[in-house]
Amino acid sequence: GALTLQTSDGHTLAADLTEPAGPPRGGVAVCHPHPLYGGNRFHPIVDAVFRAAPAVGLRAVRFDFRADHADGVGEGHDVVAALDAVALDDLPVFVVG
């Protein structure tokens, strides 16, 4: 379902979260391609990974990076916020994109 992520430096990011049918085996943050090249959280490859994750037991989040380019530093905060959204106890978390 729809989700709003808060970054540690105060940005709000639109996101979607999906859960596996059974007990989760971990989590994955799915990052999209650069927005200047058509990237957003609904990119077809991002969508395919996001939809496939629950079938292998992963809780998944896809999100839109912050609107203002931050030379990779701010975008790192975006990824951490996404990982926080899927982190569960001591289960592994992954980043793809």
Side-chain angles (χ1 to χ4, degrees), residues 24-29 53 57-61 83 86-88 91-95:
R25 299 174 62 201
V28 62
L58 296 177
R59 183 179 201 201
V61 66
L83 288 170
V86 295
L88 297 165
L91 297 176
V93 291
F94 307 92
V95 177

Side-chain angles (χ1 to χ4, degrees), residues 32-75:
H32 64 73
H34 196 289
L36 292 180
Y37 304 104
N40 63 42
R41 74 182 194 271
F42 301 111
H43 185 279
I45 294 172
V46 171
D47 189 59
V49 172
F50 178 76
R51 292 180 186 279
V56 295
L58 296 177
R59 183 179 201 201
V61 66
R62 64 181 176 188
F63 63 99
D64 285 324
F65 281 95
R66 62 188 62 213
D68 55 323
H69 183 66
D71 295 321
V73 175
E75 290 82 359

Side-chain angles (χ1 to χ4, degrees), residues 3-5 12-16 41 62-65:
L3 180 69
T4 301
L5 304 178
T12 300
L13 310 174
D16 301 298
R41 74 182 194 271
R62 64 181 176 188
F63 63 99
D64 285 324
F65 281 95

